[in-house]
Amino acid sequence: MDIVDLRSDTVTLPSPKMREAIYRAELGDDVFSEDVTVNRLQQIAAEKLGMEAALYVASGTMGNLVSVLTHCGRGEEIILGDMSHIFLNEAGGISALGGVFPHTIPNQPDGTLKLSDIEGAIRDENIHFPRTRLLCLENTHNRCYGAPLTPEYTASAVALAKSRGLLVHLDGSRIFNASVALGVDPTQLTSGVDSVNFCLSKGLAAPVGSVICGSADFIARARRIRKMVGGGMRQAGIIAAAGIVALEGMVSRLAEDHENARIFADGIRNIPGLATDAGRVKTNIVYIDLLRDDFSDGEFIKRINANGLKLSHTGPGRFRAVTHYGIVKNDIERALTILRGVMQK
Ligand SMILES: *Cc1c(COP(=O)(O)O)cnc(C)c1O
């Protein structure tokens, strides 16, 4: 049976063009900065995001970890959203490996952090307090229905951070979804930040990898931290080759994923026993709430799986669907038909 897999945009498989590029990739030892394919990917990434330099890393989690550890010393504090991926889903790495202290403030439904909350979280100079070093934003915001942060919001948060001497890291794992959804250049979403991380292996469909971008000095320091956490990969051009195809050829098609997500969310609204906040869907992420208590979350997943649909379970009564390369309108119709069938029982 064909499965409609909406658990994540990380399930995407490389395109035929990517496999071709992988086959032909020119390689070298990237720990010596001698892999021309990796160097090219880094150059393209830095240009697209309007930064001086870039560094290829194994994953988004590694990109965030290396960025935070490059910016912060042990015992220093970062301000981040209570729904942020760094706080919720990265195994506490910044604390476990870097001794960095997380100070969470509430994410608003649109993925932003209130400027007044940021202001309130910044510590004064006092021997009782950790030093506040860094503000982290997330765009698009995974847990907030894939909400894209606007250039205006980003600029206001960056201005506040700068005025108080803080650095800014942007977890831009899906930054290109944000730029496509808002119809703005990605450089408008990174303007003024000190580092940004984005994923090649999500909607852009490359098999492996993320890229960190920042100043040349930041990237030089990040390169040492990447080595420290075991992220120095040798002939990494073999996977970076697919990343180049992803950056050059897969960005504009994200609009199709966004449209499919909207169609899916509209369909969910008409299924009794399920709910979604369809008005919030602006990119490729939809959350679904199960309103029936006559079957458990586990039972719901079992039934949709048995009928050929996969969603991820993200909390009590809550499920996530993510549209991506490889999912077409027909798959969305089929997913809705499966859900209708399961909810009729
Ligand atoms: C997926 C994701 C990451 C981590 O990426 P991995 O490659 O899975 O480690 C970080 N931040 C956000 C917002 C993400 O969605």
Side-chain angles (χ1 to χ4, degrees), residues 8-10 58-64 83-86 89-90 137-143 171-174 197-202 208-210 285 320:
S8 176
D9 43 7
T10 56
S59 67
T61 300
M62 185 184 278
N64 285 330
M83 293 288 150
S84 65
H85 195 278
I86 296 177
N89 298 105
E90 300 185 9
L137 302 175
E138 185 174 313
N139 194 9
T140 63
H141 203 289
N142 190 332
R143 283 276 166 156
D171 177 357
S173 289
R174 296 187 180 83
N197 166 65
F198 71 88
C199 291
L200 294 162
S201 62
K202 290 188 169 159
V208 185
S210 289
I285 298 179
R320 191 189 69 170

Side-chain angles (χ1 to χ4, degrees), residues 19 22 46 54 57 80 92 111 137 157 167 191 204 207 244 246 257 276-277 286 296 299-300 307 309 311 324 342 345:
R19 290 179 187 270
I22 288 166
V57 292
L80 75 178
L137 302 175
L167 298 164
S191 180
L204 300 183
I244 294 173
D257 297 343
T276 186
D277 203 344
V286 181
S296 67
E299 186 59 29
F300 176 72
N307 286 282
L309 173 64
L311 300 175
H324 53 79
V342 165
K345 303 236 166 67

